[in-house]
Amino acid sequence: DFAPWMILVALNALMLAGLVLWSAQGANRQLVEREAEARMQAELDGLTGLGNRHALRSAAEIMPRDMPYALMILDFDGFKPVNDRWGHAAGDHLLKSTANRLRSLSRSCDKPLRLGGDEFVLLIGGKDAHARADELEEIAAQTLCVPVNHDGHIIAVGASLGFAKAEAGESIEKALNRADDAMYVMKDAGRGRQFEVG
C-alpha cells in the first residue's frame, strides 16, 4: 500500500513534470513567434513598409502553379535630381507616397513591392491577372505620377512602366526580366518622362 506521503510525492512529481512541459511549450511558442517576426522583418522594406525582393520570392513560392499572373514594374524618370535639389527627405517622401498609391491600385490577390532605390513592382494575381494588367497599363501612370507636396515644394516625376504577362508555371525571375526589358523600352523611347521640380 502507498503511504500518504508517497501519494503526495507522486502528485508533486506530476505537477512538476506538467510545469516543465508547459514552460517548454511556452519557450517553443516564443521561439516560433520570434522566427516568424524575423522572417517578416527580413521581407519588409524599412522605408515604405512594402514587401522587398525577398518577399517577391516568397510570394512566388506560394503562388498556385496552375494560375497565370502578371508583373508591373515601375522606375522613376529623373529621381536623382529630387534628392540632389531638395535632399533625401524629399526623395523619401516621394517614395512613401508612391508606395501608398501602389497599395491603392492593389487588390487582395496582388502584392505591391519595392525592390530597392526607386524601383517598384506589383505582382498581379487572380484568375483575371492578364486582364488586370491591361487595365493598369491604361491607368497606372496617372495614379502613380501625381505630383507630391514636400515642404511647400511641388515634386513631379514621370515614371517608366513595364508589364509582363506570365503563363502558369513561368518563373518569377523570367517574368521580372521581361517586365524590366519592357520598362527600358519605354524609358529609351522617352515615354513617361515628365520630370519637373517646382
Side-chain angles (χ1 to χ4, degrees), residues 39-40 42-44 51-65 111 113 123 172-173:
R39 200 176 313 116
M40 189 176 75
E43 295 187 350
L44 207 61
N52 60 18
R53 196 174 289 273
H54 298 295
L56 178 61
R57 290 194 196 100
S58 294
E61 287 171 7
I62 62 171
M63 242 180 348
R65 298 282 178 229
K111 189 158 187 71
L113 307 123
L123 174 59
I172 202 79
E173 290 83 8

Side-chain angles (χ1 to χ4, degrees), residues 69 71 164-166 169-181:
Y69 63 96
L71 285 174
K165 296 174 185 174
E170 182 177 349
S171 75
I172 202 79
E173 290 83 8
K174 186 176 176 184
L176 192 60
N177 285 339
R178 290 198 296 110
D180 203 50
D181 288 345

Side-chain angles (χ1 to χ4, degrees), residues 5 11 13 23 36 43 58 109 113 130 134 145 157 162 175 177 182:
W5 67 269
L11 286 172
S23 176
E43 295 187 350
S58 294
C109 56
L113 307 123
H130 290 183
D134 289 336
C145 298
V157 293
N177 285 339

Side-chain angles (χ1 to χ4, degrees), residues 62-175:
I62 62 171
M63 242 180 348
R65 298 282 178 229
D66 60 344
M67 192 176 289
Y69 63 96
L71 285 174
M72 179 186 79
I73 190 166
L74 173 147
D75 187 78
F76 285 122
D77 299 323
F79 179 72
K80 187 175 180 294
V82 174
N83 285 332
D84 291 347
R85 185 166 179 186
W86 304 114
H88 288 281
D92 288 352
H93 180 69
L94 179 60
L95 293 172
K96 290 176 189 176
S97 296
T98 302
N100 289 333
R101 290 170 182 165
L102 194 58
R103 284 187 187 97
S104 76
L105 288 174
S106 305
R107 306 166 304 171
S108 59
C109 56
D110 303 331
K111 189 158 187 71
L113 307 123
R114 178 182 176 223
L115 299 191
D118 61 334
E119 188 175 51
F120 292 84
V121 162
L122 181 62
L123 174 59
I124 306 163
K127 293 179 181 178
D128 63 341
H130 290 183
R132 178 61 176 162
D134 289 336
E135 289 175 15
L136 289 175
E137 281 194 73
E138 299 297 322
I139 65 169
Q142 291 89 342
T143 302
L144 295 169
C145 298
V146 176
V148 298
N149 188 317
H150 178 72
D151 288 344
H153 304 293
I154 302 301
I155 302 171
V157 293
S160 294
L161 302 172
F163 289 83
K165 296 174 185 174
E167 297 304 324
E170 182 177 349
S171 75
I172 202 79
E173 290 83 8
K174 186 176 176 184

Side-chain angles (χ1 to χ4, degrees), residues 28-46:
N28 188 44
R29 197 167 34 250
Q30 287 178 343
L31 180 62
V32 168
E33 288 171 0
R34 279 199 300 270
E35 286 175 351
E37 187 176 337
R39 200 176 313 116
M40 189 176 75
Q41 290 299 322
E43 295 187 350
L44 207 61
D45 175 58

